[in-house]
Amino acid sequence: MGIIEKIKEIEAEMARTQKNKATEYHLGQLKAKIAKLRTQLLEPPKGSSGAGDGFEVTKYGHGRVALIGFPSVGKSTLLTMLTGTHSEAASYEFTTLTCIPGIIHYNDTKIQLLDLPGIIEGASEGKGRGRQVIAVSKSSDIVLMVLDASKSEGHRQILTKELEAVGLRLNKRPPQIYFKKKKTGGISFNSTAPLTHVDEKLCYQILHEYKIHNAEILFREDATVDDLIDVIEGNRKYMKCIYVYNKIDVVGIDDVDKLARQPNSIVISCNLKAGSSLLKLNLDRLLAKMWEAMGLVRVYTKPQGQQPDFSDPVVLSADRGGCTVEDFCNHIHRSLVKDVKYVLVWGISARHYPQHCGLSHVLQDEDVVQIVKKKEKDDGGGRGRFKSHSTAPARISDREKKAPLKT
């Protein structure tokens, strides 16, 4: 029996098991077994060289956004309208067969947009090259899930399920659970909050399913069994996702209003025509929402005694290194941090203009920074009578004797 058949058998057993207090331990063990099997499914087969025909493209720009969706929902048309890069679009499914990159120039930054082939139900099991598509989306900063507004809401649930099956958690934060394996000492179970979904016995059973018998675990919130399994697996990625509903020109205004009011959602239309020209309906709101989700921070440099340079900002991100002054210095040059005496900051993060800040100061968008470097010390250690040490030899016998005075 293969891995996929085992997963389906366990899912069928979970579906026919009643959910109550008596069966929660059994269901918890079944969830752990499914998570282990799905992790094995993602691993490359033994004996393979590892080199395959993938979709990965070189990272470029200050951020990366992946377009994910079913075939023929308008991903290629959206890429063409946002970046100007031509991606073939036609009225049949699976027009795009590989990853096509494009660059969005927005707010003095460059954002890489990836048009991926459409994925179908069962993509997490390898159908329709789904694993390669999802692997590329894992390397992006945020995901744009493109949906057809005229289709049912079930498409969004199917795509979310397929992405969660391979370890992607959309619009969720990592659970507040501390977990550490140990060599000896057994399992130490503690919690700082009342637990309603997990108890000590269930935690022990899940850890024994993973053959972990010595570990330290601390719950800082009321977490579920799935959160505990995610922490034990340790290979989950938590990403932001924007649900983009395309083709709103073919549905009623009530449906558009309902879709637009959902969290993390935005409605657009790429093919709405006014006469002979195309209207880019709500694409400016899409770019603004994407910019907000990525959390990019533009920092402008100011040379001493000169005006700030607003043409070429240094772009920082919390997901790519951090947004502190130290990260800003490392972005310019690695050796700059040790030479910094202090920095002067103008902008939202400063309490007054200018503010003297250290390396731990967190910068905000459109701040202006001037770096003041340490002065190099003189070799003589001072000047004139303020010299800290003499240049004469240390031993008296080595010093030059002065000529006797003439009398």
Side-chain angles (χ1 to χ4, degrees):
M1 186 183 292
I3 296 175
I4 297 174
E5 287 78 13
K6 288 180 182 177
I7 291 174
K8 289 181 177 177
E9 186 179 333
I10 295 172
E11 285 177 344
E13 185 179 349
M14 289 176 66
R16 62 174 178 263
T17 304
Q18 292 184 349
K19 293 183 181 180
N20 53 47
K21 200 73 176 174
T23 60
E24 65 178 5
Y25 300 113
H26 178 59
L27 288 171
Q29 280 187 309
L30 293 178
K31 286 180 179 179
K33 286 180 180 177
I34 285 182
K36 281 179 64 180
L37 290 171
R38 281 182 174 152
T39 304
Q40 293 175 17
L41 198 63
L42 295 175
E43 292 174 354
K46 292 182 179 178
S48 64
S49 61
D53 184 17
F55 298 131
E56 186 61 42
V57 295
T58 307
K59 277 194 175 185
Y60 178 80
H62 304 111
R64 173 181 270 199
V65 180
L67 293 172
I68 281 188
F70 278 97
S72 293
V73 293
K75 299 187 297 296
S76 299
T77 309
L78 183 61
L79 175 86
T80 304
M81 298 189 83
L82 289 177
T83 66
T85 304
H86 176 69
S87 180
E88 187 179 351
S91 57
Y92 55 88
E93 295 185 346
F94 295 105
T95 313
T96 305
L97 299 175
T98 185
C99 178
I100 299 175
I103 301 297
I104 302 173
H105 295 271
Y106 187 73
N107 285 349
D108 296 327
T109 61
K110 297 174 184 176
I111 301 170
Q112 188 179 42
L113 188 65
L114 302 181
D115 178 20
L116 298 172
I119 61 177
I120 57 176
E121 192 171 358
S124 59
E125 299 168 1
K127 290 182 181 177
R129 300 190 74 184
R131 282 191 215 162
Q132 290 96 321
V133 175
I134 296 172
V136 175
S137 65
K138 270 189 172 183
S139 67
S140 59
D141 297 317
I142 65 168
V143 170
L144 291 186
M145 189 182 290
V146 186
L147 302 162
D148 192 339
S150 61
K151 300 290 178 65
S152 66
E153 187 64 22
H155 281 194
R156 172 172 166 176
Q157 297 170 0
I158 292 169
L159 285 172
T160 305
K161 183 181 175 183
E162 294 295 331
L163 293 175
E164 287 193 346
V166 295
L168 274 176
R169 298 292 178 263
L170 303 179
N171 295 325
K172 292 181 182 177
R173 60 177 180 81
Q176 297 294 309
I177 302 173
Y178 172 77
F179 174 72
K180 184 181 179 182
K181 290 182 183 180
K182 297 190 296 186
K183 292 183 179 179
T184 57
I187 296 173
S188 171
F189 179 89
N190 291 296
S191 65
T192 59
L195 302 177
T196 58
H197 305 287
V198 182
D199 59 4
E200 194 168 352
K201 181 182 175 183
L202 179 58
C203 181
Y204 281 16
Q205 285 186 344
I206 292 173
L207 288 171
H208 288 167
E209 186 67 38
Y210 281 93
K211 298 179 181 179
I212 298 172
H213 306 290
N214 300 289
E216 186 178 347
I217 188 161
L218 171 64
F219 284 81
R220 295 192 178 97
E221 65 177 3
D222 185 16
T224 61
V225 178
D226 297 320
D227 293 335
L228 176 60
I229 292 171
D230 288 347
V231 171
I232 295 171
E233 285 282 350
N235 59 354
R236 307 297 190 236
K237 184 165 185 187
Y238 298 85
M239 298 181 66
K240 292 180 181 177
C241 176
I242 299 173
Y243 303 101
V244 182
Y245 289 93
N246 192 17
K247 304 180 184 179
I248 59 170
D249 51 311
V250 298
V251 297
I253 189 65
D254 294 334
D255 295 330
V256 172
D257 184 62
K258 182 182 175 183
L259 293 173
R261 292 182 185 277
Q262 293 183 3
N264 303 309
S265 301
I266 193 159
V267 291
I268 65 166
S269 178
C270 295
N271 282 327
L272 183 60
K273 292 186 178 180
S276 60
S277 61
L278 282 173
L279 288 178
K280 299 181 179 180
L281 190 60
N282 218 23
L283 291 188
D284 53 343
R285 291 285 300 277
L286 171 61
L287 288 173
K289 200 171 186 68
M290 192 169 67
W291 174 267
E292 182 185 350
M294 294 184 75
L296 296 179
V297 174
R298 293 164 293 169
V299 182
Y300 300 101
T301 56
K302 181 186 178 302
Q304 199 164 357
Q306 299 178 28
Q307 292 295 321
D309 180 15
F310 291 112
S311 60
D312 188 17
V314 176
V315 182
L316 306 174
S317 171
D319 298 330
R320 292 192 177 193
C323 300
T324 62
V325 172
E326 185 176 0
D327 302 321
F328 168 75
C329 295
N330 287 330
H331 197 280
I332 296 172
H333 200 276
R334 289 285 179 186
S335 63
L336 185 59
V337 175
K338 60 184 180 181
D339 297 329
V340 173
K341 186 177 182 182
Y342 62 88
V343 295
L344 298 174
V345 179
W346 293 262
I348 302 172
S349 66
R351 295 180 182 176
H352 49 82
Y353 300 152
Q355 180 181 346
H356 284 58
C357 300
L359 294 174
S360 60
H361 178 76
V362 179
L363 298 168
Q364 299 289 338
D365 190 29
E366 294 190 310
D367 278 358
V368 176
V369 174
Q370 176 183 324
I371 298 174
V372 179
K373 298 173 74 173
K374 298 173 185 175
K375 291 183 179 180
E376 296 181 3
K377 292 182 179 179
D378 294 332
D379 295 336
R383 292 182 180 178
R385 58 193 182 94
F386 297 104
K387 282 188 178 181
S388 59
H389 62 273
S390 174
T391 55
R395 294 192 304 175
I396 296 175
S397 58
D398 294 338
R399 296 178 186 172
E400 293 182 8
K401 292 182 181 180
K402 294 182 179 179
L405 293 171
K406 296 180 180 179
T407 55

